[in-house]
Amino acid sequence: MYDVIIIGAGVSGCAVARELARYKTRVLVLEKEEDVCCGTSKANSGIVHAGYDAKPGTLMAKLNVEGNAMIHKLCRELDFDFAPIGSLVVCLKEEDRPRLQELYDRGIKNGVPGLKIIERDRLLQLEPNIADNAVCALFAETAGVVCPFGLNIALAENAFTNGVEFEFNSEVRDIAFVDGKWQVTTDKEKYETKAVVNAAGVYADKFHNMVCDSIINITPRKGEYMLLDRTCGGYVRHTVFQLPDEMGKGVLVSPTAHGNLLVGPTAEDIEDKEGVNTTPFGLDKIASFSMKAVKNVPFRSVITSFAGLRAHEDGGEFIIGEAPGTDGFFDCAGIESPGLTSAPAIGRYLAEMIRDKYHFAVNQEFNGKRKGIIRPKNLSESELNMLLKDRPDYGEVICRCESITKGEIVDSIIRPLGAKSLDGVKRRTRAGMGRCQSGFCSPKTMEIISEMLGIPLSEVTKSGKGSKIIVGSNKDEI
Ligand SMILES: Cc1cc2nc3c(=O)[nH]c(=O)nc-3n(C[C@H](O)[C@H](O)[C@H](O)COP(=O)(O)OP(=O)(O)OC[C@H]3O[C@@H](n4cnc5c(N)ncnc54)[C@H](O)[C@@H]3O)c2cc1C
């Protein structure tokens, strides 16, 4: 019998799992995909929002501001990539100035530190490529950019090394409260637990409505993006937003935590909870919208496009807590933007609520520190030479676009909750994320996965079941 079963290994589920590991608990995370970070947490803007967007007094506002402060510290404890570059909301018409002021006032009410409104001259100094008609901007110094995979994977690894169990390829099909405990049934097993955490992203309404009479409704709100080559990463230095509208924060232009340039997202309500395709219409829209705020974005350097789905609940607020009328079913639902920023605070908030209900004792052995994969390109010459003495594979470059070595790929596979597929390696190391989008390195990476996992090359997948890369042979076996 588990104390807590968490449905979903996205950033929310993994943040809750890590915080629960601070207590003497038996916790299991069930994930339908083959790895952590396979849902919305892998396809977003990666912005650590300052916290001026959400309405004062909401859970979204509180957890955004708390999460932002936690990430500034957590990136050192858990060793993931985060750059505190600051953000700008650009006002393009003098008559829109009151709307910018409203954002500033909201930020002050939400407790966001370091906010200022800057005028055109200063804005031009900060961002030389800003549109000619830009009037002024809201500058938020606490905003930043994070590697979304890095944050999610670090939280999961640290939860795991502190005793949390993970089951992948385990799709939860049914939940029922029987004889004072929860029965959680997957496509493979039936588990028993005192409490359930519903962190199933766009599917969280399905599980909530299974056990609770007050119905919730989550609409997948699609956001499409274009990612540009690292040669363009300095085109803007801050995350540049335009004034938000009722569908969200609008199209942004931003450097990523790894120095690419990201442009997007769109915001379109759809029905398909797996509908992550991009469309010519969406990409055209991003191009025309982004250039209202930033001049001549170098779209010739686009290396890929992708889309993510916001879990938009009808009430437009995070739903976090024990579902009404249940005994131990905790929602972590409607976690749309700023969910990535808020995740560490969501984890703490919900774990403390569950601890208080079940009186969990403190786990004195909890170790909140985690070391990421060694990056040879960040080492000094002498450090690199020392490393190469023991591990010459850190000198063998596999992904030339991103300068990723065999040693890093091996580490990504053998470390706790290691990679099992090409995408798993990519999210942990960036092998295949560069200009050629894995055109050159994937055969070599596949060979390393095959060798390290002891499986035939033909069994290596792109992203788990149904995605084998080798589907036959074009010559007869000799
Ligand atoms: C376009 C876009 C831009 C965004 N930009 C930002 C941003 O810049 N900053 C920010 O702070 N936030 C941003 N967000 C929001 C942020 O990405 C999300 O709030 C966050 O990733 C949600 O994480 P999650 O763990 O709740 O959901 P998910 O990451 O979707 O995780 C849910 C998990 O549950 C699993 N699951 C579902 N059903 C089952 C089942 N039956 N059994 C087992 N497992 C199941 C899924 O496979 C998935 O892994 C953005 C979102 C989008 C879509």
Side-chain angles (χ1 to χ4, degrees):
M1 166 107 151
Y2 286 92
D3 292 304
V4 185
I5 286 184
I6 300 170
I7 309 168
V11 73
S12 307
C14 293
V16 177
R18 176 175 183 264
E19 287 298 321
L20 282 170
R22 293 181 188 276
Y23 309 103
K24 287 187 178 156
T25 47
R26 189 167 178 226
V27 179
L28 171 67
V29 181
L30 294 171
E31 170 55 55
K32 71 180 169 66
E33 303 298 331
E34 54 112 27
D35 198 356
V36 303
C37 199
C38 286
T40 299
S41 301
K42 76 168 181 189
N44 51 62
S45 311
I47 310 301
V48 174
H49 292 287
Y52 48 74
D53 284 290
K55 276 196 205 128
T58 60
L59 205 50
M60 242 182 206
K62 169 184 152 63
L63 297 175
N64 183 160
V65 176
E66 286 177 15
N68 175 301
M70 287 171 83
I71 286 179
H72 281 252
K73 192 164 156 255
L74 206 58
C75 66
R76 289 188 292 276
E77 280 172 28
L78 294 181
D79 197 16
F80 56 81
D81 292 316
F82 165 66
I85 58 173
S87 70
L88 293 160
V89 183
V90 179
C91 173
L92 298 166
K93 289 186 228 142
E94 191 54 50
E95 61 262 37
D96 282 341
R97 194 185 275 269
R99 288 175 58 207
L100 196 76
Q101 183 65 40
E102 206 178 295
L103 272 189
Y104 172 88
D105 294 343
R106 210 186 258 190
I108 297 300
K109 282 193 190 131
N110 289 347
V112 180
L115 278 181
K116 342 185 221 273
I117 291 184
I118 57 169
E119 296 303 319
R120 179 174 170 77
D121 289 353
R122 178 70 185 132
L123 178 57
L124 262 179
Q125 284 170 351
L126 294 178
E127 291 297 349
N129 290 315
I130 213 75
D132 291 336
N133 54 331
V135 177
C136 56
L138 176 65
F139 174 65
E141 68 177 26
T142 55
V145 284
V146 67
C147 170
F149 325 115
L151 171 60
N152 195 157
I153 290 167
L155 289 165
E157 280 183 12
N158 192 236
F160 178 74
T161 53
N162 281 291
V164 172
E165 298 168 43
F166 284 76
E167 285 292 337
F168 296 103
N169 296 312
S170 292
E171 181 174 338
V172 175
R173 297 264 169 91
D174 191 39
I175 305 172
F177 195 61
V178 183
D179 297 334
K181 52 191 179 246
W182 293 96
Q183 286 182 349
V184 179
T185 311
T186 68
D187 50 350
K188 297 199 190 102
E189 294 252 0
K190 186 177 273 190
Y191 302 92
E192 286 187 344
T193 178
K194 288 181 198 154
V196 175
V197 170
N198 171 23
V202 285
Y203 294 97
D205 53 349
K206 177 174 139 187
F207 296 116
H208 172 98
N209 297 341
M210 228 177 236
V211 301
C212 182
D213 292 336
S214 67
I215 299 297
I216 64 169
N217 179 46
I218 291 178
T219 305
R221 182 168 285 175
K222 181 152 84 171
E224 300 181 40
Y225 291 93
M226 286 191 264
L227 186 72
L228 278 67
D229 191 56
R230 275 196 287 124
T231 50
C232 311
Y235 200 73
V236 291
R237 299 167 192 157
H238 307 80
T239 301
V240 177
F241 294 99
Q242 297 171 41
L243 280 163
D245 61 20
E246 70 284 354
M247 290 295 271
K249 299 177 191 75
V251 172
L252 60 83
V253 181
S254 179
T256 68
H258 297 109
N260 293 79
L261 191 74
L262 185 68
V263 188
T266 52
E268 183 200 357
D269 288 348
I270 61 170
E271 281 175 16
D272 182 3
K273 295 198 176 200
E274 300 289 329
V276 288
N277 59 314
T278 55
T279 60
F281 175 72
L283 301 182
D284 282 351
K285 204 166 165 183
I286 299 167
S288 58
F289 269 63
S290 60
M291 290 213 280
K292 287 184 184 172
V294 178
K295 289 191 286 193
N296 306 321
V297 177
F299 284 112
R300 278 192 312 174
S301 298
V302 170
I303 57 172
T304 190
S305 61
F306 63 92
L309 302 176
R310 304 166 182 89
H312 177 71
E313 207 285 319
D314 291 354
E317 166 67 312
F318 292 160
I319 301 175
I320 304 176
E322 197 168 13
T326 71
D327 183 5
F329 182 91
F330 292 86
D331 280 312
C332 189
I335 311 298
E336 58 182 320
S337 187
L340 188 70
T341 312
S342 311
I346 291 175
R348 186 171 67 187
Y349 180 76
L350 195 48
E352 288 180 356
M353 197 182 289
I354 301 171
R355 171 203 65 190
D356 291 348
K357 177 170 171 109
Y358 296 98
H359 309 292
F360 295 143
V362 171
N363 172 12
Q364 303 291 356
E365 282 155 30
F366 176 79
N367 177 358
K369 290 229 159 61
R370 168 256 186 197
K371 206 72 205 114
I373 294 170
I374 297 171
R375 308 281 177 201
K377 65 181 171 192
N378 296 342
L379 299 179
S380 67
E381 202 178 325
S382 60
E383 287 169 333
L384 183 59
N385 287 338
M386 288 270 283
L387 176 68
L388 292 178
K389 272 191 199 149
D390 286 340
R391 291 286 305 269
D393 56 350
Y394 277 102
E396 189 184 333
V397 173
I398 301 291
C399 167
R400 290 193 207 165
C401 303
E402 296 291 312
S403 308
I404 306 299
T405 63
K406 181 172 179 184
E408 290 163 271
I409 295 174
V410 167
D411 188 3
S412 76
I413 298 166
I414 62 174
R415 67 184 9 249
L417 293 184
K420 299 175 282 279
S421 66
L422 271 185
D423 281 358
V425 169
K426 182 161 92 170
R427 287 193 286 268
R428 285 167 178 80
T429 64
R430 294 189 55 75
M433 290 238 181
R435 190 178 301 177
C436 88
Q437 287 288 296
S438 82
F440 287 99
C441 61
S442 56
K444 286 189 173 172
T445 308
M446 285 169 67
E447 280 172 15
I448 302 170
I449 295 173
S450 156
E451 188 190 325
M452 298 311 298
L453 296 182
I455 56 172
L457 203 55
S458 56
E459 292 299 312
V460 175
T461 64
K462 181 177 183 300
S463 54
K465 58 181 177 290
S467 67
K468 279 188 190 168
I469 297 153
I470 296 176
V471 291
S473 135
N474 62 358
K475 289 195 187 120
D476 291 337
E477 300 275 331
I478 301 170

